[in-house]
Amino acid sequence: MKTRGSTLALLLLLALAACQPGSAPEPSPEAAAVADLDTLLDEVWERRLERDLSARLLAGLPIETSRARRNEAAEEDAEFARGVLDRLAAIDAEALPHARWLDWAVLQRDAEMTVEGMQYYWFTNVLTPYSSPLASLPRLFGGMPMATAEDVDRYLGVLAEVPEMVRQIEEHTRSPDEIE
């Protein structure tokens, strides 16, 4: 009888221990890799929405600034991309389902291109119609709503930034040594 009571007490203790916080089973390698990738993808998308006017337009978000590019912004992007690459390296890509591995691979290549591109920043041609930031202005201004006074104020605020954008383009066409 004593053995039966001891066994019952042991089973009860094991059941209680299993219900304690932190005793949940470890997620599978696939689930952990997918969760880590999803977190990283969300952070990259949020950053893209903050910095990429086309992404903001597609998402239906208001445009508050032209976010004209500068060398400092390109350096910040490269630094962020290095962090993305570090975090991607920590994800077990082999544990990902194929469709999610494709997400991982595209994100990795995008980050690699951003890092690699920084060394060629000053060689980027900003004067051709297909690569000039000015080419995006008709789409930018055409996509901005004008329904409210707040919309008009945003429009005029972005419009007021165009001379600075042109100045930055002109600066980019100079040698880095010529810039003060």
Side-chain angles (χ1 to χ4, degrees), residues 100 102 108 133:
R100 301 315 309 273
L102 290 172
Q108 180 183 37

Side-chain angles (χ1 to χ4, degrees), residues 2-168:
K2 201 172 197 183
T3 309
R4 189 172 184 193
S6 298
T7 306
L8 186 57
L10 181 59
L11 288 174
L12 184 58
L13 284 172
L14 288 173
L16 286 172
C19 294
Q20 295 300 315
S23 65
E26 289 288 318
S28 69
E30 178 181 319
V34 167
D36 291 344
L37 180 61
D38 284 344
T39 299
L40 183 55
L41 284 168
D42 287 344
E43 290 174 24
V44 169
W45 179 242
E46 285 301 316
R47 182 175 170 87
R48 182 117 336 138
L49 287 176
E50 290 173 10
R51 300 173 75 86
D52 185 332
L53 298 177
S54 297
R56 289 188 71 79
L57 284 172
L58 286 172
L61 296 172
I63 306 298
E64 305 287 343
T65 177
S66 67
R67 287 180 177 75
R69 300 281 300 165
R70 301 188 104 148
N71 185 37
E72 297 84 26
E75 289 172 359
E76 290 169 6
D77 290 346
E79 187 60 34
F80 180 79
R82 282 185 204 92
V84 168
L85 289 171
D86 290 343
R87 290 178 61 191
L88 284 170
I91 295 173
D92 183 2
E94 292 180 11
L96 293 167
H98 183 68
R100 301 315 309 273
W101 177 84
L102 290 172
D103 294 337
W104 181 92
V106 168
L107 188 57
Q108 180 183 37
R109 186 62 190 135
D110 183 61
E112 288 171 346
M113 288 174 44
T114 301
V115 171
E116 292 167 11
M118 189 57 220
Q119 64 186 320
Y120 305 111
Y121 176 80
W122 291 105
F123 297 109
T124 305
N125 190 341
V126 294
L127 295 178
T128 58
Y130 56 84
S131 67
S132 171
L134 297 176
S136 66
L137 290 180
R139 182 169 172 240
L140 169 66
F141 288 112
M144 293 180 73
M146 301 286 281
T148 67
E150 187 177 270
D151 291 340
V152 172
D153 287 343
R154 257 195 301 274
Y155 185 95
L156 293 173
V158 174
L159 184 62
E161 294 176 2
V162 172
E164 173 62 15
M165 180 187 283
V166 171
R167 188 196 65 72
Q168 289 178 18

